Amino acid sequence: MKFEKNICILNVGGTKYAFTREVIKDFPLRRVSRLHNCSSEKEVLEVCDDYDQERNEFFFDRHSEAFVFIMLYVRSGKLRFVPQMCELSFYNEMIYWGLESSHLEFCCQRRLDDRMSDTYTYFSDEDIKAEDDSRGEEDQDNPSSTERSNAGWLERMRRTFEEPASSVAAQVLASVSVIFVIISMVLLCASTLPDWDTAKNNTVEEHRIIEAVCIGWFTAECIVRFIVSRDKCEFVRRPLNIIDLLAITPYYVSVAMTALTGENPQLQRAGVTLRVLRMMRIFWLIKLARHFLGLQTLGLTLRRCYREMVMLLVFVCVAMAIFSALAQLLEHGLDLETSNEDYASIPAACWWVIISMTTVGYGDMYPITMPGRVLGGVCVVSGIVLLALPITFIYHSFVQCYHELKFRSARCVRSLSAEFLN
């Protein structure tokens, strides 16, 4: 748009700011810089709330005090919350002007994350309601309502299999899946008992049927979830789906190997690969993460705190390298006549360092010289300090993830109660 005047006036909540056209063009706020590319008054009104062409003044019905702090960010590069103003309200102002949470100072980012996790469910409820209303209006106006109804049916199926608390049917499917997981784990644990072979010979057909039914359920569940998923590539890349595949595949590999080798028990017992594949069924326990809030919280915390976990691992590895070298030197390298053979090498001493730093102390290895015992005390104290340093960050992230998932679950429970009453 070709402005008649070189000076542009921004009126934000009654507070006026004057800028030249060159400043408007390269303004750090995206909404303001968009004004320079507007070619008509209609496009200008899509950016601002009103426009006075005579005075070249643009009106924005927004929070004036919040815009003052945003302008301070434009000038100084530091963005902080307005005192006595809700964090979420200020965040809405930021989004309106084209800023993101990453522009905030670190302390304000933590405050915003805590606030958003506390009120997550309310935003989700409003978004879902608005989305449902818009879908309903589109279905009435669009003649191809059959296709949209099919898409809605697939979405309900997806939520039924992916979100156990979304409906009564989803809870029933989740309960059945948990029962099959428990049965599979009982069979896996019982198969390692000394008397299992004798019991299996007496009821071999029943065991095969139970195992086949469990695997059939898991396979059908995985196939249906793959069919109703929105993005097939994203479905394959998800960790839980990869674990499901690793848990199901060993059964079919075992059946194929049995078909190839026959029922020869000596040949099957010699197959180390077969025993490893059977033990991989322990991954079925991770399937419970779909149904239990605690496991979901643990997984989400590990995903968000991978930097802190890497930092903790680096601390431990550096301490292991230092203390194991010193322990090998003090216990074995200085006096060869009274050397402690448990510390004959640095890798052997690493085992003693890790169980000492974690305060486990099995007692299978221990220093016998006075310098070695002093080093052991320093190693234990250092381990406590090093392990405690990143724990604070991980703890706060765990609490935040727990509240976030709890509010999501509460939202699903409310919708489930409404569905049950209806």
Side-chain angles (χ1 to χ4, degrees), residues 248-260:
I248 295 172
T249 304
Y251 174 78
Y252 295 103
V253 175
S254 302
V255 172
M257 292 182 67
T258 302
L260 294 175

Side-chain angles (χ1 to χ4, degrees), residues 327 330-332 335 337-343 352 365-374:
L330 296 177
E331 291 292 315
H332 188 270
D335 191 355
E337 295 181 358
T338 60
S339 61
N340 191 344
E341 295 300 329
D342 292 335
Y343 297 84
W352 170 79
M365 293 175 61
Y366 54 88
I368 59 176
T369 63
M370 183 57 65
R373 292 175 179 177
V374 173

